[in-house]
Amino acid sequence: MIGATTPVDVRDRAVLVLLATAGIRNGELRALQPHDINWRTGEVFVRRTKGKRDRVAPLIEEAGAALADYILRARPKVDSPYLFLSFTPPVGPFRCASPVSRIVQSRLQHSGIEFVGGAHLLRHSLATQLVGQRRPINEVADLLAALMHGEDVLAA
């Protein structure tokens, strides 16, 4: 995994863990604001979904720890409402999908994982992980359907 030696490393780890565990899309990640994280309930409020509806995604402990580390230690101290920021001047939010996709591609390739595609493919790794944990296939299918349709996966 990514060593947390630089602020960019800390940010990239938070990006990867959140994409892989919460099933959010690239654009949803870029739209996140610090107040969208509900630390007490372990949830992420996701706005601007593909289905034009807001939803809630789970925030597992590892993702919460990575986000907290980023916010407390690495996030640039600039006046921006967005959670994830570019370190390339001028420091500010990611304006398009390509920087997030580059983070995913470069970090996975650096880890020795041949990866072709963008950040969207990490959404599907969540299902693979659930199947590997022997979760019932109908539960995995329901989760994927909910994520694809922008539904609140924690409502049930």
Side-chain angles (χ1 to χ4, degrees):
M1 195 55 163
I2 300 170
T5 56
T6 69
V8 172
D9 293 338
V10 173
R11 182 213 47 211
D12 291 359
R13 183 174 190 283
V15 165
L16 287 173
V17 173
L18 193 58
L19 285 171
T21 62
I24 64 175
R25 293 175 175 88
N26 186 323
E28 296 166 350
L29 178 110
R30 289 182 286 116
L32 283 178
Q33 298 181 13
H35 65 266
D36 293 332
I37 310 300
N38 188 328
W39 300 101
R40 292 190 187 281
T41 62
E43 298 172 340
V44 179
F45 180 73
V46 183
R47 61 186 82 239
R48 301 181 193 169
T49 66
K50 185 176 179 179
K52 307 285 190 248
R53 293 184 358 198
D54 296 340
R55 68 179 170 88
V56 176
L59 179 68
I60 68 164
E61 187 175 336
E62 182 180 2
L67 277 174
D69 194 29
Y70 166 67
I71 291 167
L72 296 173
R73 284 193 327 122
R75 186 176 183 276
K77 306 292 189 245
V78 297
D79 186 24
S80 174
Y82 296 99
L83 180 59
F84 290 106
L85 303 174
S86 169
F87 285 88
T88 306
V91 174
F94 296 122
R95 302 240 182 251
C96 62
S98 58
V100 176
S101 292
R102 276 195 300 272
I103 289 170
V104 172
Q105 289 175 344
S106 67
R107 292 300 182 157
L108 291 179
Q109 287 174 352
H110 183 72
S111 298
I113 299 170
E114 287 304 316
F115 182 79
V116 178
H120 184 77
L121 292 178
L122 286 180
R123 286 172 45 87
H124 299 292
S125 73
L126 178 60
T128 303
Q129 194 172 35
L130 292 171
V131 169
Q133 293 172 1
R134 300 187 187 275
R135 302 291 285 270
I137 195 67
N138 60 335
E139 180 182 324
V140 175
D142 289 346
L143 175 62
L144 284 178
L147 288 172
M148 293 187 120
H149 293 99
E151 296 173 13
D152 183 348
V153 296
L154 299 177

